Amino acid sequence: MPSLEPGPLGDCTAIIVAHDETTSTTLLSLAQRVGFGQVTTASEPLYPLMFFLVHFGIGRAAKEKLIQQIRATASPLVQLAPIILFAPDGPYDRLLEYIEMGFDDVIFLPEKRHVLAARLAAQVDQEHIYIETGSYLGPDRRRMELPGHTHPNRGSGSFEHKRLTVLRKVDSGPQIVRTQLFLKQNHEAPKHALTGRRTA
């Protein structure tokens, strides 16, 4: 099968996370076909911008632990890297469950190669909104919810949190380009937001 024309993924590393050799090989092949410059099962990337490509078969607890470990890493190259889940096609509720865990995107298979490449490339050179609270750091989990379909375990929003604008570049990796701090609100005072920029 001919390779894709050079694109943004050509200067990115795909790190494969799977539960057995068969599924690991499947994701390795997929990552190579969509144009990643390096594909590995190790955690030492060749390029500043890495993607974690996760097979759904590793189990719920393992998925949650993986996301927590990545987001708790000190280096922003790892902490803010896109974490993409690959799963068989399923109901919308399952998609929301995976989004709630903190995945940047969920791709149901099978899917055409050019669609896969476009979905993955959408993580590059575009701004993405992350939310940081005392117990969560990751993409805004409200982005895929239908009206009236709020997860019961999520807070009401009346708590302190940060709204981070993340930009991922192939030459420098991910960085936070804008931060908004939302303070706790009480009954007398409205919610306040402090906005700042940082380049690293």
mmCIF file of all heavy atoms in Angstrom, residues 145-183:
data_model
loop_
_atom_site.group_PDB
_atom_site.id
_atom_site.type_symbol
_atom_site.label_atom_id
_atom_site.label_comp_id
_atom_site.label_asym_id
_atom_site.label_seq_id
_atom_site.Cartn_x
_atom_site.Cartn_y
_atom_site.Cartn_z
ATOM 1 N N GLU A 145 -20.708 16.361 24.915
ATOM 2 C CA GLU A 145 -21.958 16.034 25.582
ATOM 3 C C GLU A 145 -23.165 16.597 24.844
ATOM 4 O O GLU A 145 -23.135 17.716 24.358
ATOM 5 C CB GLU A 145 -21.960 16.569 27.018
ATOM 6 C CG GLU A 145 -21.085 15.759 27.949
ATOM 7 C CD GLU A 145 -21.088 16.301 29.365
ATOM 8 O OE1 GLU A 145 -21.632 17.414 29.553
ATOM 9 O OE2 GLU A 145 -20.556 15.632 30.246
ATOM 10 N N LEU A 146 -24.196 15.807 24.812
ATOM 11 C CA LEU A 146 -25.476 16.283 24.310
ATOM 12 C C LEU A 146 -26.161 17.101 25.406
ATOM 13 O O LEU A 146 -25.867 16.927 26.593
ATOM 14 C CB LEU A 146 -26.369 15.084 23.941
ATOM 15 C CG LEU A 146 -25.885 14.242 22.763
ATOM 16 C CD1 LEU A 146 -26.758 12.998 22.638
ATOM 17 C CD2 LEU A 146 -25.915 15.036 21.466
ATOM 18 N N PRO A 147 -27.059 18.015 25.047
ATOM 19 C CA PRO A 147 -27.783 18.789 26.067
ATOM 20 C C PRO A 147 -28.471 17.861 27.064
ATOM 21 O O PRO A 147 -29.123 16.887 26.686
ATOM 22 C CB PRO A 147 -28.805 19.575 25.238
ATOM 23 C CG PRO A 147 -28.173 19.695 23.883
ATOM 24 C CD PRO A 147 -27.423 18.407 23.676
ATOM 25 N N GLY A 148 -28.273 18.143 28.343
ATOM 26 C CA GLY A 148 -28.889 17.332 29.382
ATOM 27 C C GLY A 148 -28.177 16.039 29.686
ATOM 28 O O GLY A 148 -28.670 15.217 30.467
ATOM 29 N N HIS A 149 -27.008 15.831 29.094
ATOM 30 C CA HIS A 149 -26.292 14.571 29.277
ATOM 31 C C HIS A 149 -24.996 14.828 30.059
ATOM 32 O O HIS A 149 -23.918 14.503 29.616
ATOM 33 C CB HIS A 149 -25.972 13.955 27.914
ATOM 34 C CG HIS A 149 -25.615 12.494 28.017
ATOM 35 N ND1 HIS A 149 -26.072 11.561 27.132
ATOM 36 C CD2 HIS A 149 -24.853 11.800 28.903
ATOM 37 C CE1 HIS A 149 -25.597 10.367 27.454
ATOM 38 N NE2 HIS A 149 -24.852 10.499 28.526
ATOM 39 N N THR A 150 -25.099 15.417 31.240
ATOM 40 C CA THR A 150 -23.935 15.704 32.065
ATOM 41 C C THR A 150 -23.583 14.494 32.909
ATOM 42 O O THR A 150 -24.450 13.859 33.500
ATOM 43 C CB THR A 150 -24.214 16.909 32.984
ATOM 44 O OG1 THR A 150 -24.541 18.033 32.162
ATOM 45 C CG2 THR A 150 -22.986 17.247 33.827
ATOM 46 N N HIS A 151 -22.286 14.176 32.957
ATOM 47 C CA HIS A 151 -21.851 13.033 33.746
ATOM 48 C C HIS A 151 -22.147 13.285 35.224
ATOM 49 O O HIS A 151 -21.838 14.346 35.749
ATOM 50 C CB HIS A 151 -20.347 12.799 33.543
ATOM 51 C CG HIS A 151 -19.890 11.475 34.065
ATOM 52 N ND1 HIS A 151 -19.632 11.252 35.401
ATOM 53 C CD2 HIS A 151 -19.650 10.302 33.434
ATOM 54 C CE1 HIS A 151 -19.236 10.005 35.576
ATOM 55 N NE2 HIS A 151 -19.239 9.402 34.400
ATOM 56 N N PRO A 152 -22.739 12.304 35.941
ATOM 57 C CA PRO A 152 -23.164 12.544 37.330
ATOM 58 C C PRO A 152 -22.010 12.769 38.297
ATOM 59 O O PRO A 152 -22.199 13.352 39.359
ATOM 60 C CB PRO A 152 -23.922 11.256 37.685
ATOM 61 C CG PRO A 152 -23.415 10.225 36.726
ATOM 62 C CD PRO A 152 -23.124 10.972 35.462
ATOM 63 N N ASN A 153 -20.798 12.318 37.962
ATOM 64 C CA ASN A 153 -19.670 12.464 38.876
ATOM 65 C C ASN A 153 -18.941 13.790 38.716
ATOM 66 O O ASN A 153 -17.997 14.065 39.447
ATOM 67 C CB ASN A 153 -18.669 11.311 38.669
ATOM 68 C CG ASN A 153 -19.251 9.971 39.064
ATOM 69 O OD1 ASN A 153 -20.123 9.905 39.924
ATOM 70 N ND2 ASN A 153 -18.797 8.910 38.431
ATOM 71 N N ARG A 154 -19.336 14.603 37.749
ATOM 72 C CA ARG A 154 -18.619 15.853 37.519
ATOM 73 C C ARG A 154 -19.193 16.953 38.400
ATOM 74 O O ARG A 154 -20.389 17.000 38.662
ATOM 75 C CB ARG A 154 -18.710 16.265 36.053
ATOM 76 C CG ARG A 154 -17.804 17.463 35.759
ATOM 77 C CD ARG A 154 -17.771 17.836 34.310
ATOM 78 N NE ARG A 154 -17.499 16.657 33.521
ATOM 79 C CZ ARG A 154 -18.191 16.333 32.448
ATOM 80 N NH1 ARG A 154 -19.170 17.082 32.041
ATOM 81 N NH2 ARG A 154 -17.897 15.247 31.775
ATOM 82 N N GLY A 155 -18.335 17.846 38.846
ATOM 83 C CA GLY A 155 -18.762 18.943 39.703
ATOM 84 C C GLY A 155 -19.671 19.910 38.965
ATOM 85 O O GLY A 155 -19.793 19.885 37.743
ATOM 86 N N SER A 156 -20.278 20.795 39.731
ATOM 87 C CA SER A 156 -21.249 21.717 39.152
ATOM 88 C C SER A 156 -20.599 22.899 38.450
ATOM 89 O O SER A 156 -21.263 23.652 37.768
ATOM 90 C CB SER A 156 -22.150 22.254 40.272
ATOM 91 O OG SER A 156 -21.376 23.013 41.190
ATOM 92 N N GLY A 157 -19.302 23.063 38.622
ATOM 93 C CA GLY A 157 -18.621 24.208 38.026
ATOM 94 C C GLY A 157 -18.394 25.333 39.012
ATOM 95 O O GLY A 157 -17.750 26.310 38.698
ATOM 96 N N SER A 158 -18.911 25.217 40.235
ATOM 97 C CA SER A 158 -18.743 26.271 41.238
ATOM 98 C C SER A 158 -17.495 26.004 42.084
ATOM 99 O O SER A 158 -17.528 26.034 43.295
ATOM 100 C CB SER A 158 -19.979 26.338 42.131
ATOM 101 O OG SER A 158 -20.184 25.090 42.766
ATOM 102 N N PHE A 159 -16.389 25.701 41.405
ATOM 103 C CA PHE A 159 -15.145 25.410 42.102
ATOM 104 C C PHE A 159 -14.004 26.013 41.304
ATOM 105 O O PHE A 159 -14.148 26.345 40.140
ATOM 106 C CB PHE A 159 -14.953 23.902 42.258
ATOM 107 C CG PHE A 159 -15.044 23.150 40.955
ATOM 108 C CD1 PHE A 159 -13.913 22.924 40.165
ATOM 109 C CD2 PHE A 159 -16.263 22.684 40.510
ATOM 110 C CE1 PHE A 159 -14.015 22.252 38.956
ATOM 111 C CE2 PHE A 159 -16.358 22.005 39.295
ATOM 112 C CZ PHE A 159 -15.246 21.798 38.530
ATOM 113 N N GLU A 160 -12.883 26.152 41.959
ATOM 114 C CA GLU A 160 -11.740 26.738 41.297
ATOM 115 C C GLU A 160 -11.178 25.777 40.249
ATOM 116 O O GLU A 160 -10.963 24.596 40.525
ATOM 117 C CB GLU A 160 -10.659 27.067 42.323
ATOM 118 C CG GLU A 160 -9.435 27.747 41.735
ATOM 119 C CD GLU A 160 -8.445 28.148 42.806
ATOM 120 O OE1 GLU A 160 -8.891 28.633 43.864
ATOM 121 O OE2 GLU A 160 -7.253 27.963 42.573
ATOM 122 N N HIS A 161 -10.949 26.303 39.058
ATOM 123 C CA HIS A 161 -10.314 25.496 38.019
ATOM 124 C C HIS A 161 -9.604 26.414 37.040
ATOM 125 O O HIS A 161 -9.822 27.624 37.012
ATOM 126 C CB HIS A 161 -11.333 24.612 37.299
ATOM 127 C CG HIS A 161 -12.319 25.371 36.453
ATOM 128 N ND1 HIS A 161 -13.424 26.013 36.978
ATOM 129 C CD2 HIS A 161 -12.354 25.608 35.113
ATOM 130 C CE1 HIS A 161 -14.101 26.587 36.014
ATOM 131 N NE2 HIS A 161 -13.477 26.370 34.860
ATOM 132 N N LYS A 162 -8.736 25.833 36.256
ATOM 133 C CA LYS A 162 -8.028 26.572 35.228
ATOM 134 C C LYS A 162 -8.497 26.094 33.854
ATOM 135 O O LYS A 162 -8.742 24.908 33.641
ATOM 136 C CB LYS A 162 -6.519 26.360 35.343
ATOM 137 C CG LYS A 162 -5.901 26.967 36.583
ATOM 138 C CD LYS A 162 -4.403 26.694 36.624
ATOM 139 C CE LYS A 162 -3.772 27.252 37.888
ATOM 140 N NZ LYS A 162 -2.319 26.919 37.945
ATOM 141 N N ARG A 163 -8.584 27.039 32.946
ATOM 142 C CA ARG A 163 -8.897 26.734 31.552
ATOM 143 C C ARG A 163 -7.627 27.035 30.755
ATOM 144 O O ARG A 163 -7.217 28.182 30.628
ATOM 145 C CB ARG A 163 -10.068 27.588 31.065
ATOM 146 C CG ARG A 163 -10.589 27.223 29.679
ATOM 147 C CD ARG A 163 -11.816 28.080 29.375
ATOM 148 N NE ARG A 163 -12.489 27.679 28.172
ATOM 149 C CZ ARG A 163 -12.260 28.204 26.973
ATOM 150 N NH1 ARG A 163 -11.352 29.158 26.836
ATOM 151 N NH2 ARG A 163 -12.921 27.789 25.918
ATOM 152 N N LEU A 164 -6.996 25.987 30.270
ATOM 153 C CA LEU A 164 -5.707 26.095 29.592
ATOM 154 C C LEU A 164 -5.888 25.952 28.088
ATOM 155 O O LEU A 164 -6.611 25.058 27.636
ATOM 156 C CB LEU A 164 -4.747 25.010 30.092
ATOM 157 C CG LEU A 164 -4.624 24.836 31.608
ATOM 158 C CD1 LEU A 164 -3.751 23.633 31.930
ATOM 159 C CD2 LEU A 164 -4.086 26.098 32.251
ATOM 160 N N THR A 165 -5.253 26.819 27.336
ATOM 161 C CA THR A 165 -5.239 26.690 25.891
ATOM 162 C C THR A 165 -3.906 26.064 25.491
ATOM 163 O O THR A 165 -2.849 26.649 25.724
ATOM 164 C CB THR A 165 -5.415 28.046 25.196
ATOM 165 O OG1 THR A 165 -6.638 28.642 25.647
ATOM 166 C CG2 THR A 165 -5.475 27.879 23.680
ATOM 167 N N VAL A 166 -3.982 24.864 24.937
ATOM 168 C CA VAL A 166 -2.793 24.088 24.595
ATOM 169 C C VAL A 166 -2.588 24.126 23.079
ATOM 170 O O VAL A 166 -3.529 23.911 22.309
ATOM 171 C CB VAL A 166 -2.938 22.627 25.070
ATOM 172 C CG1 VAL A 166 -1.754 21.772 24.614
ATOM 173 C CG2 VAL A 166 -3.078 22.582 26.589
ATOM 174 N N LEU A 167 -1.360 24.401 22.678
ATOM 175 C CA LEU A 167 -0.997 24.390 21.262
ATOM 176 C C LEU A 167 0.160 23.423 21.088
ATOM 177 O O LEU A 167 1.163 23.508 21.798
ATOM 178 C CB LEU A 167 -0.588 25.790 20.789
ATOM 179 C CG LEU A 167 -0.157 25.920 19.326
ATOM 180 C CD1 LEU A 167 -1.318 25.578 18.385
ATOM 181 C CD2 LEU A 167 0.363 27.328 19.052
ATOM 182 N N ARG A 168 0.019 22.502 20.132
ATOM 183 C CA ARG A 168 1.053 21.495 19.892
ATOM 184 C C ARG A 168 1.713 21.764 18.546
ATOM 185 O O ARG A 168 1.044 21.780 17.513
ATOM 186 C CB ARG A 168 0.457 20.094 19.910
ATOM 187 C CG ARG A 168 -0.268 19.747 21.221
ATOM 188 C CD ARG A 168 -0.761 18.321 21.207
ATOM 189 N NE ARG A 168 -1.431 17.963 22.446
ATOM 190 C CZ ARG A 168 -2.749 17.826 22.571
ATOM 191 N NH1 ARG A 168 -3.532 18.022 21.519
ATOM 192 N NH2 ARG A 168 -3.276 17.494 23.727
ATOM 193 N N LYS A 169 3.039 21.950 18.584
ATOM 194 C CA LYS A 169 3.815 22.208 17.366
ATOM 195 C C LYS A 169 4.789 21.058 17.160
ATOM 196 O O LYS A 169 5.360 20.532 18.112
ATOM 197 C CB LYS A 169 4.595 23.519 17.492
ATOM 198 C CG LYS A 169 3.752 24.720 17.919
ATOM 199 C CD LYS A 169 2.904 25.276 16.817
ATOM 200 C CE LYS A 169 3.737 26.007 15.797
ATOM 201 N NZ LYS A 169 2.882 26.638 14.738
ATOM 202 N N VAL A 170 4.998 20.688 15.895
ATOM 203 C CA VAL A 170 5.878 19.550 15.616
ATOM 204 C C VAL A 170 7.326 19.844 15.990
ATOM 205 O O VAL A 170 8.082 18.934 16.349
ATOM 206 C CB VAL A 170 5.793 19.121 14.135
ATOM 207 C CG1 VAL A 170 4.408 18.594 13.807
ATOM 208 C CG2 VAL A 170 6.181 20.270 13.202
ATOM 209 N N ASP A 171 7.735 21.111 15.941
ATOM 210 C CA ASP A 171 9.138 21.429 16.209
ATOM 211 C C ASP A 171 9.436 21.661 17.683
ATOM 212 O O ASP A 171 10.577 21.525 18.117
ATOM 213 C CB ASP A 171 9.579 22.656 15.394
ATOM 214 C CG ASP A 171 8.708 23.876 15.659
ATOM 215 O OD1 ASP A 171 7.631 23.720 16.268
ATOM 216 O OD2 ASP A 171 9.113 24.979 15.243
ATOM 217 N N SER A 172 8.434 21.992 18.480
ATOM 218 C CA SER A 172 8.671 22.304 19.888
ATOM 219 C C SER A 172 7.802 21.519 20.851
ATOM 220 O O SER A 172 7.966 21.617 22.068
ATOM 221 C CB SER A 172 8.456 23.804 20.135
ATOM 222 O OG SER A 172 7.147 24.195 19.737
ATOM 223 N N GLY A 173 6.861 20.745 20.330
ATOM 224 C CA GLY A 173 5.976 19.978 21.197
ATOM 225 C C GLY A 173 4.842 20.822 21.746
ATOM 226 O O GLY A 173 4.634 21.961 21.337
ATOM 227 N N PRO A 174 4.092 20.281 22.694
ATOM 228 C CA PRO A 174 2.948 21.017 23.244
ATOM 229 C C PRO A 174 3.359 22.064 24.256
ATOM 230 O O PRO A 174 4.355 21.903 24.971
ATOM 231 C CB PRO A 174 2.117 19.910 23.914
ATOM 232 C CG PRO A 174 3.087 18.831 24.217
ATOM 233 C CD PRO A 174 4.168 18.899 23.188
ATOM 234 N N GLN A 175 2.601 23.143 24.292
ATOM 235 C CA GLN A 175 2.820 24.180 25.288
ATOM 236 C C GLN A 175 1.492 24.842 25.617
ATOM 237 O O GLN A 175 0.553 24.811 24.819
ATOM 238 C CB GLN A 175 3.820 25.217 24.804
ATOM 239 C CG GLN A 175 3.414 25.945 23.535
ATOM 240 C CD GLN A 175 4.459 26.947 23.083
ATOM 241 O OE1 GLN A 175 5.139 27.548 23.897
ATOM 242 N NE2 GLN A 175 4.584 27.117 21.782
ATOM 243 N N ILE A 176 1.446 25.446 26.797
ATOM 244 C CA ILE A 176 0.267 26.202 27.217
ATOM 245 C C ILE A 176 0.463 27.639 26.773
ATOM 246 O O ILE A 176 1.423 28.298 27.185
ATOM 247 C CB ILE A 176 0.064 26.127 28.728
ATOM 248 C CG1 ILE A 176 -0.185 24.677 29.156
ATOM 249 C CG2 ILE A 176 -1.113 27.011 29.163
ATOM 250 C CD1 ILE A 176 -0.169 24.462 30.653
ATOM 251 N N VAL A 177 -0.408 28.138 25.933
ATOM 252 C CA VAL A 177 -0.266 29.497 25.407
ATOM 253 C C VAL A 177 -1.181 30.496 26.113
ATOM 254 O O VAL A 177 -0.997 31.707 25.977
ATOM 255 C CB VAL A 177 -0.517 29.539 23.881
ATOM 256 C CG1 VAL A 177 0.529 28.724 23.151
ATOM 257 C CG2 VAL A 177 -1.921 29.044 23.542
ATOM 258 N N ARG A 178 -2.167 29.990 26.862
ATOM 259 C CA ARG A 178 -3.059 30.902 27.577
ATOM 260 C C ARG A 178 -3.664 30.162 28.769
ATOM 261 O O ARG A 178 -4.020 28.983 28.663
ATOM 262 C CB ARG A 178 -4.164 31.410 26.642
ATOM 263 C CG ARG A 178 -5.036 32.494 27.223
ATOM 264 C CD ARG A 178 -5.835 33.206 26.138
ATOM 265 N NE ARG A 178 -6.578 32.302 25.263
ATOM 266 C CZ ARG A 178 -6.213 31.991 24.006
ATOM 267 N NH1 ARG A 178 -5.112 32.492 23.489
ATOM 268 N NH2 ARG A 178 -6.930 31.180 23.264
ATOM 269 N N THR A 179 -3.766 30.857 29.883
ATOM 270 C CA THR A 179 -4.335 30.283 31.105
ATOM 271 C C THR A 179 -5.413 31.211 31.650
ATOM 272 O O THR A 179 -5.194 32.414 31.780
ATOM 273 C CB THR A 179 -3.248 30.087 32.185
ATOM 274 O OG1 THR A 179 -2.242 29.203 31.684
ATOM 275 C CG2 THR A 179 -3.845 29.501 33.453
ATOM 276 N N GLN A 180 -6.569 30.655 31.971
ATOM 277 C CA GLN A 180 -7.639 31.396 32.638
ATOM 278 C C GLN A 180 -7.929 30.705 33.956
ATOM 279 O O GLN A 180 -8.172 29.491 33.990
ATOM 280 C CB GLN A 180 -8.909 31.434 31.783
ATOM 281 C CG GLN A 180 -8.766 32.238 30.495
ATOM 282 C CD GLN A 180 -10.016 32.132 29.644
ATOM 283 O OE1 GLN A 180 -10.265 31.107 29.016
ATOM 284 N NE2 GLN A 180 -10.803 33.194 29.633
ATOM 285 N N LEU A 181 -7.902 31.466 35.038
ATOM 286 C CA LEU A 181 -8.185 30.929 36.361
ATOM 287 C C LEU A 181 -9.584 31.339 36.789
ATOM 288 O O LEU A 181 -9.892 32.530 36.858
ATOM 289 C CB LEU A 181 -7.151 31.452 37.371
ATOM 290 C CG LEU A 181 -7.365 31.047 38.839
ATOM 291 C CD1 LEU A 181 -7.307 29.527 38.996
ATOM 292 C CD2 LEU A 181 -6.339 31.727 39.728
ATOM 293 N N PHE A 182 -10.419 30.367 37.072
ATOM 294 C CA PHE A 182 -11.788 30.622 37.520
ATOM 295 C C PHE A 182 -11.858 30.335 39.012
ATOM 296 O O PHE A 182 -11.612 29.209 39.448
ATOM 297 C CB PHE A 182 -12.781 29.754 36.746
ATOM 298 C CG PHE A 182 -12.884 30.129 35.298
ATOM 299 C CD1 PHE A 182 -11.985 29.610 34.369
ATOM 300 C CD2 PHE A 182 -13.854 31.012 34.861
ATOM 301 C CE1 PHE A 182 -12.065 29.966 33.030
ATOM 302 C CE2 PHE A 182 -13.947 31.374 33.525
ATOM 303 C CZ PHE A 182 -13.044 30.845 32.607
ATOM 304 N N LEU A 183 -12.173 31.369 39.794
ATOM 305 C CA LEU A 183 -12.204 31.240 41.238
ATOM 306 C C LEU A 183 -13.542 30.721 41.715
ATOM 307 O O LEU A 183 -14.557 30.824 41.026
ATOM 308 C CB LEU A 183 -11.908 32.600 41.880
ATOM 309 C CG LEU A 183 -10.601 33.263 41.441
ATOM 310 C CD1 LEU A 183 -10.438 34.607 42.147
ATOM 311 C CD2 LEU A 183 -9.411 32.363 41.714
#
